[in-house]
Amino acid sequence: MAETRLYSKGRVLGFERAKRTQNPNVSLIKLEGVQTSKDAQFYLGKRIAYVYRAKREINGSKIRVIWGRISRTHGTSGVVKARFRKNLPAKTMGASVRVMLYPSNI
Amino acid sequence: MPHAPKSSIKKADKTVDIKGAKNGGKRVIPAEKAARFYPAEDVPQPKASRKSPKAASLRASITPGTVVILLAGRFRGKRVVVLKQLESGLLLVTGPYKVNGVPLRRVNQAYVIATSTKIDISSVSIDAKFNDAYFGKSGSKADKEFLEGAEQKKAALPESKVADQKAVDKAIVDAVSKTPFLGQYLGSTFGLSKGQFPHAMKF
């Protein structure tokens, strides 16, 4: 089957935090293949989808999405901060996330 | 009692005879009754906005004839030719239909990646009739018939639109067939594979 992926892969690392307090409004995302904050600049503004399955069907689908956007870079190694429409639940730490290629600027 | 729709024509005040005890005279019934309830204090009205949205300016990488990748929507992943930018700022785009099944369509440039592949369509003149109104949704709310909805939804594409598509595509397909592999390129779909990262790719 030909490639159909139109998103970049990312992982949720956790919430924005200091040593002992965290801010669940902002999630940290590690983007695959991005190692510097300069490269991460490309992804600013891009929309992110956390896709998950649930038992109860809503509007004919058991698949649900939490949408968000990449807001800024974090540190120097390509990690990125993102805000979601509804904050990500804590169980998503370590989970995969889809970083869409839109809104595009190229 | 069903609520009658408000008419735009102002109803005139009615003058009615007074019957019964005070028989003889007339009284005026105002066309619009005063409201039964109103707030104790005057409610502040929100100010009307004086801002109006401007059409997005075209990116330098997108010119008429550029091959562009659609990122979202029904035709996501398809490579498609840009014809021009419409008044609203949206891009007018076509497959061409014969090549990859994408019809004349509007698309927002934020949902598109411009490639460096360009087709020369300077000889193609795009009719001024292809504007935002041409693509706008047809049928007013009055046409909504819930009970008959299912049958009417899949109305066949009007002949004129099919003919329009063919007319526009003719010149473009000619230009496409001149370049080797361009037809196959436009027919193919874009997708990311392992080890490909968009920030490092040149489109």
Side-chain angles (χ1 to χ4, degrees), chain A residues 3 5 8 32-33 43 104 106, chain B residues 59 110 112 114 192-193 197 199:
Chain A
E3 286 97 23
R5 182 163 59 91
S8 245
E32 214 182 67
Y43 296 92
S104 153
I106 37 174
Chain B
R59 258 182 260 154
V112 128
L192 291 170
S193 63
F197 306 113
H199 70 275

Side-chain angles (χ1 to χ4, degrees), chain A residues 2-40:
Chain A
E3 286 97 23
T4 53
R5 182 163 59 91
L6 284 171
Y7 56 85
S8 245
K9 296 193 211 173
R11 289 266 179 196
V12 179
L13 295 177
F15 297 129
E16 176 187 59
R17 59 179 299 168
K19 190 170 181 183
R20 298 185 181 93
T21 44
Q22 64 183 10
N23 173 20
N25 295 312
V26 178
S27 298
L28 300 177
I29 310 285
K30 168 109 201 79
L31 301 162
E32 214 182 67
V34 182
Q35 275 111 21
T36 60
S37 61
K38 189 159 172 287
D39 291 342

